[in-house]
Amino acid sequence: MEPVAIDGLRYYPARETAELWGIKEATVRRYAEPKSGKIPGCIKREKTWYIPVTAIRPITQPVAQGLLWGIVSVKNDPASFLDLSKEGIDNASLESVLNELDRQNYIIVNFSVGDLHERLVQARITEKGFGLLRYKRRLKENPLADFASPEAIAIALTTVQTLAQLAQLFQA
């Protein structure tokens, strides 16, 4: 897949971009529309949309959810690697992905950290990001998923502790 040069810049046709990202061509064309704002810098020549070679796949909620779970994994094991290809994104685009997740308020990134992997490890997941993580199927199976806040978990643990103390009192 060779990029096309138009006005001195390099682009992929929407059809090739769709293959690369693993989505439908119609979706790429919809993302390319300036009013969508999802892929900046696209141009249309005749009836074909051209996508800049530097563009990343737009981060929709399902994609953000997968990326956030990957970030959680990296935060739990800093020696691991965040594989963006699972979400149809080139692994060389990590900086762009972090920028976009930060822009959409899923994470807070410390851009003063030079090393990209360290920037990823230090990224903080926002409340919006946790909300997206919470509804993933894996977490729905977790019995703590019904607790809405750390305060609710603290109340539950206090209740268990009180019951344990009462049991000790009655055994004595």
Side-chain angles (χ1 to χ4, degrees):
M1 173 177 341
E2 283 296 314
V4 176
I6 301 173
D7 299 332
L9 299 173
R10 297 173 355 166
Y11 298 89
Y12 289 121
R15 179 182 45 76
E16 291 181 11
T17 303
E19 289 175 24
L20 179 68
W21 290 349
I23 59 178
K24 295 179 180 179
E25 182 180 354
T27 303
V28 172
R29 288 193 309 261
R30 192 174 64 248
Y31 288 166
E33 291 282 344
K35 65 183 175 189
S36 82
K38 294 196 184 244
I39 310 174
C42 298
I43 59 171
K44 189 173 185 180
R45 293 288 193 262
E46 296 174 12
K47 293 183 178 185
T48 304
W49 276 104
Y50 290 93
I51 315 303
V53 295
T54 56
I56 64 167
R57 178 181 176 178
I59 299 178
T60 58
Q61 278 193 343
V63 172
Q65 189 177 55
L67 291 170
L68 288 171
W69 275 107
I71 290 170
V72 167
S73 296
V74 170
K75 291 174 94 39
N76 286 333
D77 179 12
S80 67
F81 171 75
L82 176 62
D83 186 7
L84 302 176
S85 66
K86 293 177 184 177
E87 303 302 331
I89 301 172
D90 181 15
N91 283 318
S93 302
L94 177 59
E95 185 164 17
S96 299
V97 167
L98 292 177
N99 290 341
E100 184 62 15
L101 288 172
D102 184 80
R103 187 188 72 75
Q104 291 187 30
N105 196 31
Y106 289 119
I107 61 174
I108 298 172
V109 179
N110 181 356
F111 292 104
S112 65
V113 175
D115 180 59
L116 273 177
H117 185 74
E118 187 60 29
R119 193 181 304 171
L120 173 65
V121 170
Q122 290 183 15
R124 292 187 2 226
I125 298 174
T126 64
E127 187 174 330
K128 180 181 177 183
F130 275 120
L132 198 57
L133 285 173
R134 184 166 179 236
Y135 294 104
K136 178 108 177 174
R137 177 175 292 147
R138 283 189 247 175
L139 196 54
K140 283 186 177 179
E141 296 165 3
N142 183 340
L144 293 179
D146 293 334
F147 289 102
S149 66
E151 291 82 16
I153 294 172
I155 290 168
L157 293 175
T158 303
T159 303
V160 169
Q161 183 179 7
T162 303
L163 290 173
Q165 289 170 345
L166 286 172
Q168 281 180 334
L169 179 67
F170 287 121
Q171 285 178 351

